């Protein structure tokens, strides 16, 4: 009962704002669409400039080296690009992905993971025809752990790929995370 | 003629100082010996603390990530240790070694290098019995290029290994360069 009224009030108020919201939404969607279309077009362009940057977690027990490419040295020097690179390096430090993207996972490891998931007891108990679908879902979850671009970015509902795509759209150059290395002090090699 | 007199004067003055010099020299040698002996003893001790550090060359086109271990977190936090690590990272940035030490060179690469040196025309022209000796000398030169610890340190007559050994002696803990990664913007992977 305590929360019912405000919720109801919000629900009643909603229609008043919803037209304006819808207009804004449409515009945003359109811009986003245009941005992404432009980003998609830019994704084919060569990106050989950029920067090599690092992030060392305070205390010096975790460190990251990253190379992010763009098309021109001019963009590489901008604050916006450098902030993006720093965000990416911090993401690697915090969430410890193993690969930049799904296509960088070694085939042998992907096959081993696939076999392990298929062989799992709870999967084996399901009807055979739905197992591949279940495994596919679990692989996607795994990608979101081990691949930087598939990881959720901080506590947003964006992935890191979304972040990069948005940067491509606003900066206007193709941007590519080329590679990263993450060291944790004393970890097994 | 202009410089002959001072040189002669210095040469004549030399004996006056040489006894003191010799005494100092002996003491330094002794300390160094002890230091190295201590360093040698320490080299067996486990080094699991330390820091992960980075050096990015101005402009962001070359960057290095490095892990250097010592025995305690206390030493890891000292300026002396951190300066050593920074020197090592800058060395890697500048001289681009491929491996920490000779024992990290993959066997296949070592064998290929050996075969290439032995097969070289100028070596093949030498008598067979001295060829291994020539190749050994050339391998040592190669080590001094590709192995961080075998590289000359800046324009001193020390190697990087000497630098680390001296640090072990003065800091009093085992120190180990565990690994490094060097990125140059846009290089072939």
């Amino acid at each position: 009962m305590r929360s019912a009224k405000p919720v109801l009030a919000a629900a009643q108020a909603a229609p008043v704002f919803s037209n304006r919201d819808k207009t804004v939404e449409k515009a945003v969607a359109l811009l986003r669409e245009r941005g992404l279309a432009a980003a998609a077009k830019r994704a084919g362009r060569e990106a050989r400039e950029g920067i090599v940057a690092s992030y060392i977690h305070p205390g010096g027990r975790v460190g990251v080296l990253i190379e992010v490419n763009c098309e021109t040295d001019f963009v590489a020097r901008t604050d916006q690009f450098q902030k993006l690179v720093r965000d990416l390096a911090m993401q690697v430090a915090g969430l410890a992905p193993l690969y930049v993207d799904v296509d960088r996972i070694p085939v042998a490891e992907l096959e081993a993971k696939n076999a392990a998931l298929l062989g799992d007891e709870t999967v084996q108990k399901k009807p055979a025809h739905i197992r591949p679908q279940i495994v596919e879902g679990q692989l996607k979850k795994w990608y979101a752990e081990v691949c930087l671009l598939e990881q959720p970015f901080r506590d947003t509902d964006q992935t890191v790929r979304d972040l990069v795509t948005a940067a491509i759209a606003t900066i206007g150059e193709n941007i590519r995370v080329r590679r990263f290395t993450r060291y944790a002090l004393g970890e097994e090699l």
Side-chain angles (χ1 to χ4, degrees), chain A:
Chain A
M1 281 298 279
R2 242 181 89 217
S3 63
K5 262 186 192 165
V7 168
L8 195 65
Q12 284 171 335
V16 180
F17 292 102
S18 74
N19 278 339
R20 204 179 68 187
D21 279 1
K22 270 187 187 154
T23 313
V24 173
E25 248 176 64
K26 267 189 190 168
V28 168
L30 190 65
L31 283 172
R32 188 171 288 160
E33 207 173 274
R34 282 180 185 166
L36 296 192
K41 230 191 299 181
R42 284 179 195 115
R45 299 212 302 239
E46 281 210 13
R48 292 175 170 273
E49 283 297 329
I51 53 171
V52 174
S54 66
Y55 171 74
I56 305 291
H57 200 69
R61 300 183 80 90
V62 170
V64 170
L65 189 68
I66 193 167
E67 178 181 352
V68 183
N69 297 136
C70 56
E71 295 172 37
T72 63
D73 189 46
F74 174 78
V75 160
R77 289 163 193 270
T78 59
D79 288 347
Q80 198 185 353
F81 183 78
Q82 300 205 351
K83 188 192 170 298
L84 172 72
V85 175
R86 188 172 166 80
D87 283 345
L88 292 168
M90 289 180 77
Q91 171 87 17
V92 173
L95 286 179
L98 300 174
Y99 309 105
V100 172
D101 205 350
V102 177
D103 61 10
R104 299 278 191 92
I105 302 174
V107 173
E109 193 178 338
L110 196 57
E111 281 172 355
K113 185 71 188 177
N114 202 43
L117 289 173
L118 252 177
D120 187 82
E121 229 178 81
T122 58
V123 174
Q124 282 299 316
K125 278 181 187 161
K126 306 280 178 184
H129 70 282
I130 65 161
R131 283 180 213 155
Q133 208 175 326
I134 296 172
V135 167
E136 201 183 326
Q138 289 175 334
L139 274 179
K140 272 191 184 164
K141 270 187 204 164
W142 182 61
Y143 296 155
E145 284 169 24
V146 298
C147 296
L148 172 63
L149 292 176
E150 297 295 333
Q151 287 185 336
F153 178 63
R154 289 181 191 160
D155 37 7
T156 67
D157 56 356
Q158 281 193 314
T159 62
V160 173
R161 189 189 309 282
D162 292 335
L163 180 79
V164 174
T165 305
I168 294 174
T170 58
I171 290 175
E173 283 198 2
N174 187 19
I175 294 170
R176 189 175 56 131
V177 182
R178 191 155 184 237
R179 49 180 170 167
F180 61 77
T181 299
R182 180 186 187 275
Y183 286 176
L185 188 72
E187 73 190 334
E188 294 284 329
L189 299 187

